[in-house]
Amino acid sequence: MTNAIRTVVIVGGGSAGWITAGLLAAKHKADGNLGLKITVIESPDIPTIGVGEGTWPTMRTTLRAIGVSERDFVRCCSVSFKQGSKFCRWHKDDPDDFYYHPFDLPQGFHGGNVAEHWLATPGHRSFSATVCPQETLCERHRAPKLVTSPDYAGFTNYGYHLDAGAFSGFLREHCTQRLGVRHVADTMTGLQAAMNGDIEAIETRENGLMEGDLFIDCTGFHALLIGAHLGVGMKPMSHVLFPDTALAVQSPYDEGAPVQSVTVSTAQPAGWIWDVSLSSRRGIGHVYSSAHMNEDAAVDCVRRYLGKDEKSFGKLNVRKLAIGSGYRETFWNRNCVAVGLSAGFLEPLEASALMLIEKSANLIADNMPTTRDAMDIVAKRFNTRLHGLWSHIVHFLKLHYCLSERTEPFWVDNRKPESMPDELMDDLALWAEQVPRPGEFGGPDEVFPAASYQYVLYGMGFPTKPNPRGIPDGLKGFSEGQFATVERNASRLKDMLPSNRELLDTLCSSDDV
């Protein structure tokens, strides 16, 4: 292996392998003589595991960066448009209990802390409906854009729901045909180590040795490079995030049913059920703690959620997945980086899996070392940033659980201080005294701004004390102006925008749109 970094070998395909390949190829011109040579070794014997069918708005930036047509993506991957998440029965076990975590920031977020005025003004609507039009739009199943809107542009911020298996194949075709990525359909049988402990080559069944300068482990939970070979352990998070099992099922739409514009998360006695609306079907999954509920009871929760009798439910294929939360002690070790499930997994409450792949791939591409001598320093910085990112997500996910007033043992256990990170305990003590502030989270890898914390806190009825200094007149006037703008925009957009289903039907049925 030479000192210069010229060849990148990605072991494993799926969303992790092909997103990483696409971003590296786009940023380092894999189809040119002076760019990186990028190879994806993808075993035909291992089926793709969908780590989640929801994306963040970051996916629009990713797809644009690698040159994908949004319309082609929508048509090929059973895509629907997503504007955030709706949490039902999380605060209290009440059919009317719900709140939104939309993708749009509160109106005027960077001009003043409107949450402080909202708290001090009884009688307003829910926090998210007051500060953002997306709750109003999503309750009416509206799309975020018009059929005439340009690719990746909309009237509100949006991400996607997608078919993970179709998405991998779509990216594979794009990367190999448009970006110069080499695809090797083969099975890894071993690897060859260099004298200094680096990985020198991957041994494959049909193609022999595949040498590289940098290896990216996208082999999923098997973690064949970072875990099995290099021996990097996991940092478990099961003491903070209790769910360790998921039951996943694909369900057809009932006649005339809407395509939801949000991921719907409905709390259950020992976890929650996700409901993802794709253009062609629904993806349903029950995420639960096996320490608090057995499998038969968990399956029955899914059946009752779908409103099916045992006979009709028995026709559906229910997959059981182990989803214990945790992440690698080191993500980049020697000349190997873990991306995707090989790096770790956090339960899918805020659909962070694909975002973590995007973030990791971008950090690798933007900080790609030119030589092996530079790699260890780059790796050290990468590991510091990734550990911060993963720990911040754990912190935010736990917030959803510890604020619940539900009385089942699972929810009671989630409120126990010993299950909560110390930083979260400090934050809750602070937020009991004052509203989270826009500048409170300012790190380069802080993916949840103060607005996200406000949406969850006040959606769950968190009791922040009134400001003892009162609300300045300037903030009162500013906030009322923002609330009025939201109301006008919501009224205008709900009449102007098509439903999610109408837009998708148009995009998928016509080549001339």
Side-chain angles (χ1 to χ4, degrees):
M1 184 175 69
T2 63
N3 189 40
I5 306 301
R6 294 190 175 93
T7 303
V8 177
V9 177
I10 300 171
V11 185
S15 298
W18 290 109
I19 287 174
T20 304
L23 286 169
L24 286 175
K27 293 185 178 185
H28 293 276
K29 297 182 179 178
D31 57 348
N33 293 330
L34 298 179
L36 291 172
K37 298 184 185 303
I38 300 169
T39 299
V40 177
I41 304 173
E42 186 175 34
S43 175
D45 303 328
I46 301 175
T48 298
I49 298 176
V51 296
E53 295 176 318
T55 85
W56 287 20
T58 53
M59 185 58 73
R60 288 153 59 200
T61 303
T62 294
L63 296 176
R64 187 188 294 112
I66 65 177
V68 165
S69 158
E70 185 178 41
R71 187 163 296 145
D72 289 345
F73 164 61
V74 168
R75 290 170 172 167
C76 294
C77 301
S78 296
V79 168
S80 71
F81 297 103
K82 171 182 175 179
Q83 299 185 61
S85 296
K86 179 180 181 180
F87 297 91
C88 301
R89 307 180 84 139
W90 278 74
H91 183 207
K92 298 178 180 179
D93 188 10
D94 184 326
D96 296 325
D97 175 68
F98 73 87
Y99 74 93
Y100 272 78
H101 177 197
F103 283 148
D104 272 338
L105 294 173
Q107 181 72 30
F109 180 67
H110 294 294
N113 200 348
V114 298
E116 191 169 349
H117 179 60
W118 178 85
L119 281 169
T121 312
H124 271 307
R125 295 176 299 167
S126 72
F127 178 66
S128 61
T130 303
V131 303
C132 169
Q134 286 184 299
E135 177 174 324
T136 298
L137 299 178
C138 292
E139 285 295 291
R140 291 162 175 79
H141 317 301
R142 292 292 185 261
K145 60 192 296 175
L146 298 170
V147 70
T148 54
S149 299
D151 275 7
Y152 307 116
F155 292 89
T156 63
N157 199 13
Y158 68 91
Y160 309 99
H161 295 136
L162 56 83
D163 182 313
F167 185 47
S168 297
F170 176 77
L171 289 176
R172 180 194 306 120
E173 181 176 356
H174 179 80
C175 289
T176 54
Q177 294 188 6
R178 302 288 183 88
L179 296 175
V181 176
R182 180 188 179 197
H183 177 221
V184 176
D186 206 343
T187 300
M188 173 181 164
T189 58
L191 56 79
Q192 190 172 91
M195 292 293 291
N196 65 353
D198 282 359
I199 298 172
E200 187 170 273
I202 300 298
E203 298 174 2
T204 64
R205 182 183 299 160
E206 303 293 336
N207 290 271
L209 290 177
M210 307 284 292
E211 295 183 342
D213 302 314
L214 175 66
F215 292 85
I216 300 180
D217 188 341
C218 296
T219 61
F221 289 123
H222 298 292
L224 297 177
L225 280 62
I226 198 76
H229 174 68
L230 292 173
V232 176
M234 294 289 290
K235 186 174 182 178
M237 285 291 122
S238 57
H239 61 295
V240 178
L241 300 172
F242 301 156
D244 59 1
T245 310
L247 302 172
V249 61
Q250 297 179 7
S251 178
Y253 281 109
D254 294 332
E255 184 70 28
V259 176
Q260 297 271 5
S261 294
V262 292
T263 299
V264 180
S265 302
T266 303
Q268 301 294 311
W272 57 278
I273 286 177
W274 78 69
D275 192 339
V276 171
S277 291
L278 278 70
S279 62
S280 57
R281 62 170 173 82
R282 292 164 69 194
I284 309 294
H286 185 194
V287 175
Y288 68 98
S289 164
S290 62
H292 295 86
M293 177 177 281
N294 63 42
E295 185 175 345
D296 288 342
V299 170
D300 195 54
C301 285
V302 181
R303 182 187 64 79
R304 286 187 285 107
Y305 180 85
L306 288 171
K308 294 184 178 294
D309 58 34
E310 292 188 7
K311 182 178 180 181
S312 59
F313 183 73
K315 297 177 181 178
L316 301 176
N317 178 32
V318 180
R319 287 196 306 156
K320 182 179 179 181
L321 305 170
I323 60 162
S325 292
Y327 51 90
R328 290 287 157 194
E329 294 173 348
T330 304
F331 300 98
W332 191 328
N333 183 271
R334 298 187 179 277
N335 67 333
C336 175
V337 195
V339 176
L341 294 176
S342 60
F345 183 80
L346 298 177
E347 60 135 294
L349 183 60
E350 285 283 356
S352 57
L354 290 173
M355 180 278 297
L356 283 163
I357 292 169
E358 294 174 83
K359 189 72 171 180
S360 298
N362 275 303
L363 282 173
I364 295 168
D366 293 342
N367 299 279
M368 176 62 65
T370 54
T371 65
R372 180 62 184 87
D373 292 338
M375 188 179 292
D376 290 338
I377 297 171
V378 172
K380 182 179 179 180
R381 294 176 179 177
F382 179 91
N383 288 326
T384 297
R385 294 182 69 172
L386 262 292
H387 274 108
L389 177 61
W390 283 77
S391 66
H392 290 163
I393 296 172
V394 170
H395 179 287
F396 186 65
L397 295 181
K398 185 65 175 183
L399 179 71
H400 296 65
Y401 290 99
C402 68
L403 299 179
S404 177
E405 295 181 10
R406 292 182 64 119
T407 58
E408 297 96 338
F410 170 83
W411 298 96
V412 172
D413 288 347
N414 265 292
R415 293 194 290 270
K416 292 179 178 178
E418 57 265 30
S419 77
M420 297 165 62
D422 291 341
E423 184 184 10
L424 179 56
M425 295 285 286
D426 289 343
D427 282 343
L428 291 173
L430 174 64
W431 296 331
E433 302 295 329
Q434 62 188 44
V435 173
R437 297 172 178 177
E440 199 164 324
F441 303 91
D445 300 304
E446 183 56 70
V447 291
F448 294 108
S452 292
Y453 287 88
Q454 291 177 358
Y455 283 129
V456 176
L457 288 170
Y458 304 126
M460 296 283 280
F462 185 77
T464 299
K465 296 176 184 177
N467 188 334
R469 297 194 298 268
I471 308 298
D473 289 340
L475 179 59
K476 291 179 183 178
F478 175 79
S479 299
E480 290 296 343
Q482 304 310 306
F483 299 164
T485 298
V486 170
E487 194 166 351
R488 286 194 303 272
N489 288 342
S491 178
R492 177 177 60 90
L493 292 173
K494 71 180 175 60
D495 293 332
M496 182 183 76
L497 292 170
S499 72
N500 219 354
R501 182 174 293 282
E502 288 169 343
L503 177 58
L504 294 168
D505 285 349
T506 303
L507 290 175
C508 294
S509 65
S510 172
D511 293 326
D512 302 320
V513 187

